[in-house]
Amino acid sequence: MSLFTQTTARAYCEPWQEPIVRNGEVNYTLRKAVSVAIPITIPTEPIGSIPRPVDLIERVAKGDSEDPNLDPLFEDAIRDTIERFEATGSPVVTDGEQRKYHNFATYCVHGLPNTAPDGFKIPFSDGHTRRLSRLTRGPFRYRRYADCYLDVAMRYAHVPVKQAVISPSALSLMYPAEGIPDYSREQFIDDLLSEHETEIRRCLKKGAHKVQVDFTEGRLAVKIDPSGHLLNSFIDLNNLALSRFSPEERRRIGVHTCPGNDLDSTHSADVDYTELLPSLFELRAGNFYIALAGEPDRRHALKIIHKYLKPNQRIFVGVIAPIDPHIETPEEVRDRVLEASEYIPVEQLGTTDDCGFSPFSDDTSTSRDTAFAKILARVLGTALAEKLIGGHS
Ligand SMILES: [Zn+2]
């Protein structure tokens, strides 16, 4: 057995390691401050939505969201959103979904002549509900693809832009239980997958930094069907879509899970992550954006992530709770990142917000100022943690 001294152990170890020699045996811990830059970075990304300016919400409420007279107002909202995003130092931005009318889920089908407003109901914990559209006849086609939002955002942005799209599983709820004459569910699913694939390909081609598939209905599915059958059918459907992409493309594709966020209320926060995450990590995506800041027991969730996480999956943990009116401090964020790093290899770790700040366009429960203050805390806090974990001087 070779006996190490503190000096010889240091000669053998990497610059970011600190040897601890006891009885001639050496163990290594992370050095807190080293003078060389180590290429470990912790990426940080938003989810998507930012509260719309109040005057825009009021103008849209009075008329038609597609009225060309509103175009300058939408354009101003997008420009201002991106400017304020970039002012936080956020390395990746979005257009704040300013033009996703009326929400994160139905933007692509809003205004279609073959839909009715009385579709699937999302029940929130405070008693209010939101509804998806219902398909009344085939064929199913998107009315718009999300890359049209990227076109505008990329004109204003100086940093990479990501784009959120709705999952096939959420849109699958548009097909009525009683069926549609001459348009089977199988035909519908074929059309749906094809439209979803087209949307993602268009976003990737235009240079989206990431394409994030919003999958808020994953956790809700467990609440609706505790047997897990509905969740697994959603996972299978979304995997059919993800399988159409190459491993390289999937590195730019992510999936977002959360308990919902509307009018400061959630739809499935009481569903334990034990029921969701093992299935979630079966999704063939390269990135996962997981609500964590608002969880009552973060370490419980992190232990499940640690157990089921696969290689080549990057986990962006939520370090900001959009629902909580308290603006997190950078130090709070730093500590949440350090906590997560105990369970997730740092090469697979990233940070995000638990959810968008207003997934529904008329939600004014959080102000734009609060949203950007929270984003600033995420950016600063992640950088603080990166200095400690990544070894930057
Ligand atoms: Zn969300």
Side-chain angles (χ1 to χ4, degrees):
M1 188 178 77
S2 66
L3 290 182
F4 281 96
T5 65
Q6 193 73 28
T7 311
T8 53
R10 185 160 285 146
Y12 279 99
C13 74
E14 301 291 343
W16 59 86
Q17 293 177 320
E18 181 66 30
I20 301 169
V21 178
R22 253 191 223 110
N23 303 325
E25 285 193 49
V26 64
N27 282 301
Y28 295 99
T29 63
L30 209 58
R31 268 186 95 178
K32 289 256 158 99
V34 288
S35 57
V36 291
I38 307 301
I40 288 178
T41 53
I42 302 172
T44 188
E45 296 180 13
I47 290 298
S49 61
I50 295 290
R52 282 58 157 183
V54 175
D55 56 336
L56 176 64
I57 294 174
E58 285 169 359
R59 285 286 299 275
V60 171
K62 280 185 206 148
D64 172 13
S65 66
E66 291 180 60
D67 178 353
N69 292 323
L70 294 179
D71 284 352
L73 279 180
F74 278 116
E75 193 84 9
D76 271 1
I78 295 163
R79 183 189 41 73
D80 184 66
T81 300
I82 290 175
E83 262 178 36
R84 296 190 67 177
F85 242 126
E86 291 187 344
T88 66
S90 191
V92 177
V93 301
T94 72
D95 68 348
E97 305 188 354
Q98 303 297 286
R99 201 139 203 182
K100 260 191 185 172
Y101 191 81
H102 167 263
N103 58 60
F104 68 102
T106 59
Y107 66 90
C108 53
V109 296
H110 182 81
L112 279 178
N114 57 340
T115 59
D118 58 345
F120 180 81
K121 234 187 239 178
I122 308 171
F124 283 86
S125 55
D126 66 355
H128 86 279
T129 58
R130 294 282 198 174
R131 291 198 93 147
L132 301 181
S133 334
R134 172 175 60 89
L135 192 68
T136 55
R137 59 176 195 279
F140 176 78
R141 298 282 183 271
Y142 281 15
R143 183 142 182 258
R144 61 187 70 73
Y145 301 103
D147 66 293
C148 67
Y149 306 126
L150 267 180
D151 289 334
V152 183
M154 289 174 92
R155 267 199 273 123
Y156 292 112
H158 305 87
V159 297
V161 182
K162 77 181 274 192
Q163 182 62 52
V165 301
I166 190 58
S167 65
S169 52
L171 292 177
S172 73
L173 296 166
M174 287 180 69
Y175 191 85
E178 64 275 17
I180 295 176
D182 304 320
Y183 190 60
S184 69
R185 188 177 162 81
E186 288 68 33
Q187 283 174 288
F188 165 71
I189 294 295
D190 273 359
D191 288 340
L192 168 60
L193 289 173
S194 154
E195 289 291 76
H196 174 74
E197 179 188 358
T198 300
E199 181 173 53
I200 291 187
R201 288 202 184 286
R202 288 172 69 127
C203 293
L204 289 175
K205 201 172 165 199
K206 285 194 178 161
H209 177 68
K210 294 274 181 56
V211 180
Q212 172 192 286
V213 179
D214 285 337
F215 184 48
T216 185
E217 71 284 5
R219 198 162 173 178
L220 181 62
V222 183
K223 179 151 185 163
I224 296 169
D225 175 11
S227 78
H229 178 76
L230 183 62
L231 172 65
N232 287 328
S233 72
F234 282 175
I235 298 281
D236 290 346
L237 177 61
N238 293 336
N239 264 341
L240 283 177
L242 288 163
S243 304
R244 298 184 176 197
F245 296 92
S246 67
E248 204 170 300
E249 287 164 335
R250 289 202 292 265
R251 271 198 286 278
R252 287 171 62 200
I253 300 176
V255 174
H256 165 53
T257 182
C258 68
N261 173 26
D262 186 38
L263 305 172
D264 282 345
S265 181
T266 56
H267 54 53
S268 55
D270 50 346
V271 169
D272 194 286
Y273 267 149
T274 316
E275 307 300 321
L276 174 71
L277 295 180
S279 299
L280 188 83
F281 290 130
E282 294 300 319
L283 284 170
R284 301 180 71 190
N287 306 279
F288 292 81
Y289 302 87
I290 300 179
L292 188 65
E295 290 299 305
D297 185 351
R298 285 194 302 271
R299 284 187 186 273
H300 167 68
L302 285 164
K303 279 176 196 161
I304 305 166
I305 293 173
H306 174 77
K307 189 168 175 193
Y308 290 96
L309 165 70
K310 295 189 166 79
N312 303 322
Q313 293 180 334
R314 190 183 281 274
I315 310 300
F316 290 79
V317 293
V319 290
I320 296 290
I323 266 182
D324 184 352
H326 162 70
I327 294 168
E328 291 83 353
T329 65
E331 289 74 21
E332 281 171 326
V333 170
R334 175 200 62 199
D335 292 346
R336 287 173 186 179
V337 182
L338 294 178
E339 181 184 66
S341 75
E342 292 175 37
Y343 300 89
I344 302 169
V346 67
E347 310 76 26
Q348 287 177 266
L349 182 61
T351 65
T352 186
D353 309 313
D354 272 9
C355 191
F357 287 88
S358 53
F360 293 84
S361 66
D362 57 358
D363 181 0
T364 54
S365 61
T366 303
S367 72
R368 281 168 77 79
D369 287 349
T370 298
F372 284 114
K374 282 172 167 269
I375 288 168
L376 178 63
R378 169 167 56 74
V379 171
L380 294 176
T382 303
L384 286 177
E386 194 178 74
K387 268 191 195 161
L388 295 175
I389 302 171
H392 290 289
S393 57

